[in-house]
Amino acid sequence: MSLTLSTAGESHGPGLTALVEGLPAGLELDRDAMNRDMARRQLGFGRGGRMKIETDTAEVRSGVRHGRTLGGPVALWVVNRDYQNWEERMNPWPVEAEVPPVHMPRPGHADMVGVWKYGHDDVRNVLERASARETAARVAGGTLAKAFLRALGVEIRSHVTQIGPVHAPVATRPLQVADFEGIDDDPVRTLDADTSKAMVKHITVERKANESIGGAYEVLTFGLHPGIGSHVSWQERLDGRLAQAICSIQAHKGVEFGDGFTLAETPGSQAQDEIFGVEDTEDGDVHTGAVRRRTNHAGGLEGGMTNGNTLVVRAAVKPIPTITKPLRSVDLSTGEPAKALRERTDNCVVPAAGVVGEAMIAMVLAAAYREKFGGDHIDDVKAAVAAYEARIGWTR
Ligand code: EPS
């Protein structure tokens, strides 16, 4: 038993579908919490005009009755309100109107290679599916994975750590769930007020210069049991699975766990997280079951498995390729030099990307929990988790 998410839909088509298979029956869902996540993905200073058109919700189409899962596939529907402005251009069926094709691929987008690979002569046939609008369906699906994890005491939070060259200060102590209270009220979803101002200023300045802006965010998962994932085969190593999920998000170019790339320059004796017994506990130690840790260089992963410490995943997001200052490209119908497609766009998506990162991490973790603990009903899962906790002597 695993858990899978499939998405369908185009950016300006009728809407998006998320199909989640493998949830246990009896899992309680909170409609408001689901839609809060949908709204959080639309937040962030630097979004474009499209976000004023959409008010995303995850509408349950199947698999849930009276607020609880039935054990079958759950289908969620996210309507594209903008479709009413695109009905001719994006109609699934032939239309009378002349719809001009797009021939100018944007450097950095799927446009050009997608046209070659799939045999299209209209870039729109590629860009509509490649668009990061698809992440609305990922977040919808992620709300179900989060509900499942929450039922087992696992919570996921994210914050922006970098916008362009502006870095948030490194936390001086391990972050806790409570530190994230109110983070979504910050315009760039960062934890430090002065950094937030500097990030907003940077986006404002770059937007005026017709630039798009990248950055980085961190996703922390609290309360994970040790032993999620496995060392026994490369396919089951959780770091590998998490990296795939994060790097599959549009515009994501890098991922690291814990101290990540910094570990490459750290002497071995300082790069590991020493293990202390309970009798050796000091203030600030992280309780990871029967032992304590004073550091978390590993980001909560050892040997491809969770180790009971907080999972720390950091992702790098490039500046998105739709820019109001179009770059040089060629007209694919003539091969002549041309300016790339210029469209309404976002300038900075990093605050929203953090919410998408949460959803993808939730999907991977929930799948690994399903694989480890099985169970047809959520109570079966809870019983299996409790038995495992007793066997390894683990407490939060
Ligand atoms: C996107 C382009 C913009 C973004 C869109 C992703 O859409 P539009 O072309 O309609 O202005 O707003 O993101 C979303 C719609 C969303 O919900 O996140 C792109 O080309 O990737």
Side-chain angles (χ1 to χ4, degrees):
M1 173 53 65
S2 190
L3 188 77
T4 59
L5 165 71
S6 301
T7 72
E10 285 74 41
S11 181
H12 303 97
L16 302 152
T17 303
L19 183 71
V20 174
E21 294 186 78
L23 285 168
L27 176 66
E28 196 172 353
L29 301 179
D30 175 345
R31 186 172 16 186
D32 292 342
M34 290 169 69
N35 287 331
R36 256 198 312 279
D37 254 13
M38 297 303 289
R40 291 173 66 233
R41 195 200 65 90
Q42 293 198 262
L43 292 173
F45 189 77
R47 300 306 300 271
R50 177 77 183 272
M51 289 305 100
K52 295 192 179 69
I53 298 172
E54 307 294 345
T55 312
D56 292 338
T57 57
E59 191 186 314
V60 177
R61 288 283 171 105
S62 65
V64 180
R65 184 162 180 246
H66 301 161
R68 284 187 187 270
T69 53
L70 296 172
V74 179
L76 301 171
W77 171 249
V78 185
V79 74
N80 284 333
R81 289 188 172 197
D82 205 17
Y83 178 60
Q84 57 198 29
N85 305 316
W86 290 75
E87 253 189 280
E88 284 189 327
R89 281 170 289 178
M90 286 305 294
N91 202 298
W93 300 109
V95 292
E96 296 285 319
E98 192 69 38
V99 179
V102 178
H103 287 147
M104 265 77 84
R106 288 159 292 178
H109 213 279
D111 297 354
M112 185 184 69
V113 182
V115 160
W116 291 343
K117 180 172 161 69
Y118 286 90
H120 296 303
D121 55 13
D122 184 349
V123 168
R124 184 157 300 287
N125 287 339
V126 174
L127 71 87
E128 284 288 336
R129 178 67 186 151
S131 162
R133 174 72 183 150
E134 186 256 352
T135 62
R138 300 195 196 207
V139 170
T143 64
L144 303 176
K146 281 185 183 178
F148 171 69
L149 292 169
R150 193 166 294 135
L152 305 176
V154 176
E155 288 289 339
I156 302 181
R157 297 289 183 275
S158 71
H159 65 120
V160 169
T161 54
Q162 185 185 344
I163 296 281
V166 185
H167 290 257
V170 177
T172 50
R173 57 169 178 80
L175 292 170
Q176 306 295 332
V177 173
D179 293 317
F180 293 84
E181 195 79 33
I183 181 130
D184 296 322
D185 299 329
D186 183 82
V188 282
R189 304 193 60 256
T190 199
L191 288 169
D192 177 70
D194 289 338
T195 311
S196 171
K197 287 194 195 99
M199 287 174 169
V200 167
K201 188 171 167 203
H202 180 75
I203 295 170
T204 307
V205 169
E206 293 300 308
R207 177 152 65 184
K208 285 198 183 120
N210 289 315
E211 288 289 1
S212 60
I213 305 112
Y217 64 85
E218 192 169 76
V219 181
L220 293 100
T221 308
F222 301 93
L224 283 165
H225 294 82
I228 306 303
S230 177
H231 64 287
V232 302
S233 66
W234 68 265
Q235 296 96 328
E236 288 180 79
R237 283 185 174 258
L238 198 64
D239 25 21
R241 294 172 69 173
L242 290 163
Q244 195 277 336
I246 288 294
C247 290
S248 77
I249 306 171
Q250 291 82 343
H252 282 52
K253 283 294 190 189
V255 64
E256 53 178 5
F257 301 98
D259 290 350
F261 279 81
T262 309
L263 289 174
E265 61 190 53
T266 308
S269 62
Q270 290 161 45
Q272 323 302 330
D273 303 305
E274 288 184 295
I275 302 169
F276 300 91
V278 176
E279 68 288 347
D280 216 2
T281 303
E282 284 184 4
D283 274 359
D285 281 3
V286 180
H287 295 215
T288 53
V291 298
R292 304 287 180 262
R293 301 286 182 127
R294 265 158 226 175
T295 53
N296 189 13
H297 303 301
L301 290 166
E302 288 173 314
M305 293 174 280
T306 52
N307 65 5
N309 216 327
T310 302
L311 174 68
V312 184
V313 183
R314 212 166 299 113
V317 184
K318 72 172 182 176
I320 55 172
T322 311
I323 16 190
T324 42
K325 177 167 65 183
L327 300 179
R328 285 174 290 190
S329 182
V330 294
D331 184 323
L332 290 178
S333 63
T334 62
E336 294 295 318
K339 284 289 163 77
L341 174 67
R342 188 184 163 167
E343 286 208 321
R344 173 187 68 192
T345 185
D346 303 304
N347 296 92
C348 182
V349 295
V350 183
V355 180
V356 182
E358 290 175 24
M360 294 311 290
I361 283 170
M363 283 310 308
V364 171
L365 292 173
Y369 264 84
R370 292 299 280 139
E371 288 155 27
K372 174 154 175 52
F373 295 106
D376 296 316
H377 190 279
I378 185 67
D379 290 346
D380 301 343
V381 185
K382 286 182 180 171
V385 170
Y388 176 64
E389 287 176 1
R391 176 166 74 73
I392 64 171
W394 187 78
T395 50
R396 278 203 174 84

